[in-house]
């Protein structure tokens, strides 16, 4: 019997073969995906375990420096300035001569007062014996009672004339001394507002120069009354404990550097500025090298007290959401990631102080944040794996220096 070729049978056979191959590939792919699903990687993260600790709580406040003492130099007698006896911007000592006023007229007045005193003293010398003799003559009725009374009155008047002349001489002497204008305090003197030949008057409104004592120096800072009340409540409740000594203060200068000397808080003002609602605090700082000058803007870090249960977390574990609120990713006991909203209270070194939102024992994610999101599973990176990663990165080849 002769075999015949049938196109229909060929097509049927091809379709069956193609369907069989597709089914095999599908089963193979399903088998491969089902075998890989159980091996999905869980993100490994680095965490910081929250533990309360005793921390010195400080507040950073803006302020300005002011001189410890300020004295404006004004003449106490009038006349022409003959000399300026200081170098502008130099340090002067209390009592040092600063200006010399023409003293000729004051010297003459002193000499005149001195002569008037001598005349009064001479009259006193003659009146005293006369009164004594009249007293003896009155006893034997050699003079009348009126003559004796006149002699006694003349003697008392002579004594009063001596006292008046002595006071006039003292005044003339003081005015003569005032022709030499002296520094009232020790400190650094400003530029002079007058030159030789200028006419000055006693007690004029314009100061000749200004002397400022710069060591020590004051720093006046402002704090809101609300913060002051909150600090007072925390101290009263015991959440903050203040040391036995005065609160210490540190300065941050305008260029960001830290001032080497430590200051002490002196007092807080007794009134609140109605315009700003702020209270002024004054601190005093040693200034031996005169690095601080009056009027400089500074930031004062005031130690408020010690919080023995403070919570501080690394800054890399804290971020801000769209509302500007501080947030942190926390790995909960179930191995899931939670996002917490925090209330922070400033920084301490490289850490944020957290007032609320975290508690002791919480695991704050500080490494691998880009791998996780809220609700996703995660696990703490094993120390061995972390060490291997660090060793691999340190042994990676580096380019040769040219």
């Amino acid at each position: 019997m002769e075999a015949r070729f049938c196109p229909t049978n060929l097509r049927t056979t091809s379709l069956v073969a193609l369907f069989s191959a597709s089914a095999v590939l599908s089963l193979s792919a399903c088998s491969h995906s089902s075998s890989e699903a159980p091996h999905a990687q869980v993100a490994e993260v680095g965490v910081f375990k929250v533990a309360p600790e005793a921390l010195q709580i400080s507040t950073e406040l803006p302020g300005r420096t002011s001189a410890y003492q300020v004295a404006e130099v004004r003449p106490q007698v009038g006349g022409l300035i003959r000399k300026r006896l200081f170098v502008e911007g130099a340090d002067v000592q209390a009592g040092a001569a600063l200006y010399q006023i023409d003293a000729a007229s004051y010297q003459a007045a002193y000499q005149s007062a001195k002569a008037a005193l001598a005349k009064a003293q001479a009259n006193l010398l003659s009146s005293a014996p006369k009164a004594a003799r009249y007293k003896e003559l009155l006893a034997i009725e050699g003079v009348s009672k009126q003559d004796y009374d006149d002699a006694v009155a003349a003697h008392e008047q002579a004594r009063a004339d001596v006292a008046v002349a002595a006071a006039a001489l003292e005044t003339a002497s003081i005015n003569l001394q005032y022709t030499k204008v002296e520094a009232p305090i020790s400190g650094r003197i400003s530029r002079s507002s007058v030159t030789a030949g200028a006419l000055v008057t006693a007690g004029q409104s314009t100061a000749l120069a200004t002397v400022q004592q710069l060591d020590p120096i004051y720093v006046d800072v402002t704090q809101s009354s609300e913060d002051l009340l909150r600090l007072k409540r925390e101290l009263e409740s015991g959440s903050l404990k203040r040391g036995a000594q005065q609160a210490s203060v540190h300065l941050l200068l305008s260029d960001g550097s830290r001032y080497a000397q430590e200051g002490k808080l002196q007092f807080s003002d007794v009134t609140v500025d109605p315009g700003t609602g702020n209270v002024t605090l004054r601190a005093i700082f040693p200034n031996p090298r005169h690095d601080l000058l009056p009027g400089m803007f500074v930031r004062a870090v005031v130690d408020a007290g010690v919080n023995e249960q403070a919570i501080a977390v690394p800054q890399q574990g804290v971020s801000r959401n769209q509302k500007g609120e501080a947030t942190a990713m926390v790995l909960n006991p179930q191995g899931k990631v939670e996002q917490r909203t925090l209330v922070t209270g400033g920084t301490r070194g490289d850490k944020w102080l957290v007032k609320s939102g975290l508690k002791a024992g919480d695991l704050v994610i500080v490494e691998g944040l880009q791998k996780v999101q809220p609700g996703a599973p995660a696990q703490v990176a094993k120390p061995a794996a972390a060490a291997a990663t660090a060793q691999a990165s340190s042994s990676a080849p580096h380019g040769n220096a040219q």
Side-chain angles (χ1 to χ4, degrees):
M1 182 175 180
E2 184 179 358
R4 293 184 179 180
F5 175 75
C6 180
T8 303
N9 292 338
L10 180 60
R11 283 195 300 271
T12 303
T13 304
S14 299
L15 288 174
V16 170
L18 181 61
F19 176 77
S20 300
S22 299
V24 171
L25 288 174
S26 299
L27 290 173
S28 176
C30 292
S31 175
H32 181 68
S33 61
S34 61
S35 64
E36 286 186 350
H39 299 288
Q41 294 289 332
V42 177
E44 293 188 346
V45 293
V47 297
F48 173 83
K49 188 174 183 179
V50 175
E53 56 182 316
L55 285 180
Q56 179 71 51
I57 304 302
S58 57
T59 305
E60 187 173 313
L61 303 171
R64 288 195 180 273
T65 56
S66 60
Y68 185 73
Q69 290 189 90
V70 180
E72 293 183 334
V73 180
R74 288 185 173 86
Q76 294 178 279
V77 294
L80 290 175
I81 297 291
R82 289 300 183 190
K83 294 179 182 178
R84 174 169 61 84
L85 305 173
F86 66 92
V87 177
E88 295 174 319
D91 291 329
V92 296
Q93 297 298 318
L98 303 178
Y99 296 92
Q100 178 62 60
I101 298 175
D102 187 4
S105 60
Y106 297 99
Q107 181 67 42
Y110 173 77
Q111 295 297 337
S112 176
K114 188 175 182 181
L117 176 60
K119 181 180 178 180
Q121 289 173 337
N123 291 334
L124 180 62
L125 290 176
S126 64
S127 65
K130 183 177 180 179
R133 286 195 304 270
Y134 273 37
K135 184 177 182 180
E136 295 175 357
L137 292 172
L138 180 63
I140 60 174
E141 297 182 355
V143 294
S144 65
K145 183 69 167 59
Q146 182 63 50
D147 291 338
Y148 171 72
D149 290 342
D150 290 343
V152 172
H155 175 63
E156 293 299 326
Q157 184 174 355
R159 290 179 60 182
D161 290 341
V162 170
V164 171
L169 178 62
E170 182 68 19
T171 301
S173 175
I174 292 173
N175 288 336
L176 182 60
Q177 294 175 14
Y178 282 163
T179 59
K180 184 177 289 185
V181 182
E182 298 178 346
I185 61 173
S186 298
R188 181 164 293 181
I189 193 166
S190 68
R191 63 182 181 86
S192 176
S193 63
V194 296
T195 59
L199 177 64
V200 296
T201 58
Q204 63 184 33
S205 59
T206 303
L208 304 182
T210 302
V211 181
Q212 300 183 85
Q213 182 178 344
L214 303 181
D215 184 24
I217 195 168
Y218 286 131
V219 175
D220 295 327
V221 298
T222 56
Q223 183 181 34
S224 69
S225 56
E226 290 82 1
D227 289 342
L228 193 62
L229 289 174
R230 176 184 53 78
L231 176 61
K232 185 177 179 180
R233 286 194 295 267
E234 290 177 350
L235 289 171
E236 291 175 348
S237 65
S239 59
L240 273 184
K241 294 185 178 180
R242 177 167 288 175
Q245 299 180 349
Q246 288 177 295
S248 59
V249 187
H250 299 85
L251 284 187
L252 301 177
L253 304 181
S254 57
D255 61 354
S257 62
R258 187 184 181 95
Y259 183 60
Q261 301 287 339
E262 179 183 295
K264 296 294 182 183
L265 189 64
Q266 291 289 292
F267 74 95
S268 61
D269 208 346
V270 295
T271 57
V272 177
D273 187 334
T276 61
N278 292 335
V279 178
T280 299
L281 309 178
R282 168 163 282 186
I284 186 170
F285 281 82
N287 191 26
R289 298 174 53 188
H290 294 176
D291 293 330
L292 300 177
L293 298 176
M296 291 178 63
F297 175 78
V298 294
R299 297 194 68 83
V301 181
V302 182
D303 291 338
V306 177
N307 186 347
E308 297 183 346
Q309 296 294 320
I311 292 179
V313 298
Q315 292 186 9
Q316 64 265 33
V318 179
S319 59
R320 298 279 174 177
N321 59 20
Q322 295 180 349
K323 298 180 181 179
E325 299 170 327
T327 60
M329 294 293 189
V330 177
L331 184 61
N332 64 20
Q334 291 75 36
K336 296 296 182 66
V337 177
E338 295 181 3
Q339 186 177 49
R340 301 272 186 88
T341 301
L342 312 180
V343 177
T344 59
T347 60
R348 183 69 174 179
D350 61 347
K351 294 182 178 180
W352 280 104
L353 297 177
V354 179
K355 293 183 177 180
S356 65
L358 295 175
K359 62 181 183 301
D362 283 343
L363 300 179
V364 179
I365 300 174
V366 294
E367 295 179 1
L369 286 167
Q370 70 279 4
K371 304 177 186 177
V372 296
Q373 58 184 353
Q379 64 183 8
V380 179
K382 297 179 180 179
T389 303
Q391 183 178 2
S393 61
S394 62
S395 61
H398 300 281
N400 296 327
Q402 298 296 325

